Amino acid sequence: MVGTVQKNKPELPPALLTCKGRPVSSFVITFTATTVLVYVPKRNKNMVLLSTWHTWAEISNREDKKPAIVLDYNRNKGGVDNLDKVIGTYSCRRMTARWPLVVFHNIVNVLVYNAFVIWRELNPAWMSCKHNKRRVFLEQLGKVLVTPLIERRASPPHRRLHCGREGHSEESQAITHSQYG
């Protein structure tokens, strides 16, 4: 995992965040279970990065001498933004104040998009001339998931047993009496 961290986190020591008097392109790096890098890209501006992947302070051979963590972050940061943009087109997200539902809706959105990507890779000829392939995929996926439930509800209901004494069905009471006399 490589990403940025907000500077107002209490876990970050103030001495690490100071950027006054530090030259441009300088950085401070700490190694614990995760690597924390504070990089100064511009005068009086710093950027805090957290990495669980980098365990060394590697500097690029480029002219600007940026740390490897910054280069990896810049190379890959668009993936999450792109996924959020693609998922936002067709989403199951609903307004709720309960955070577990927000997480669940996001997981469902990512899973459905991943299923679409896998389906497209396995079936490249599927709807090759049509736009809105993802919408059609979602419609077909929804029908496949809902059809068994609709068929089960449309079938005739099973014979319901009437409840006798003590909340047990007559059939279960008969079995109990026949076994124990």
Side-chain angles (χ1 to χ4, degrees):
M1 188 234 15
V2 178
T4 58
V5 179
Q6 292 178 350
K7 298 173 198 159
N8 62 354
K9 298 297 177 192
E11 293 84 9
L12 296 173
L16 191 67
L17 298 175
T18 57
C19 59
K20 290 190 177 187
R22 289 184 44 203
V24 174
S25 297
S26 67
F27 62 92
V28 175
I29 192 164
T30 62
F31 296 102
T32 57
T34 58
T35 302
V36 178
L37 173 100
V38 181
Y39 177 67
V40 180
K42 297 178 182 174
R43 187 172 174 247
N44 293 329
K45 180 170 174 61
N46 61 356
M47 176 178 171
V48 182
L49 291 157
L50 182 74
S51 174
T52 58
W53 185 45
H54 298 87
T55 56
W56 63 97
E58 186 178 337
I59 300 171
S60 70
N61 294 331
R62 297 173 18 163
E63 186 177 312
D64 55 5
K65 302 286 187 203
K66 286 186 179 180
I69 298 174
V70 174
L71 296 176
D72 288 337
Y73 172 73
N74 288 338
R75 185 173 37 250
N76 298 313
K77 68 181 176 184
V80 174
D81 297 334
N82 189 33
L83 180 66
D84 288 341
K85 183 177 119 181
V86 170
I87 285 175
T89 311
Y90 302 109
S91 175
C92 72
R93 194 172 296 157
R94 298 290 174 258
M95 291 295 295
T96 180
R98 297 173 54 202
W99 69 265
L101 282 177
V102 173
V103 172
F104 175 74
H105 290 150
N106 192 44
I107 289 171
V108 169
N109 286 332
V110 172
L111 287 173
V112 169
Y113 183 73
N114 288 342
F116 173 65
V117 170
I118 292 169
W119 176 258
R120 245 187 10 207
E121 288 297 316
L122 293 176
N123 303 298
W126 180 73
M127 301 183 73
S128 59
C129 61
K130 184 159 178 132
H131 297 296
N132 297 330
K133 293 178 197 172
R134 185 160 173 249
R135 184 182 56 79
V136 174
F137 175 80
L138 289 171
E139 287 175 3
Q140 290 178 356
L141 178 65
K143 287 177 185 174
V144 167
L145 292 174
V146 172
T147 300
L149 297 172
I150 292 172
E151 289 173 353
R152 190 171 58 201
R153 286 188 177 182
S155 67
H158 298 293
R159 185 176 70 99
R160 297 186 182 212
L161 299 173
H162 298 287
C163 289
R165 289 177 291 149
E166 300 173 356
H168 297 290
S169 68
E170 294 171 5
E171 196 171 273
S172 67
Q173 285 180 0
I175 293 171
T176 306
H177 290 298
S178 66
Q179 287 177 346
Y180 299 108

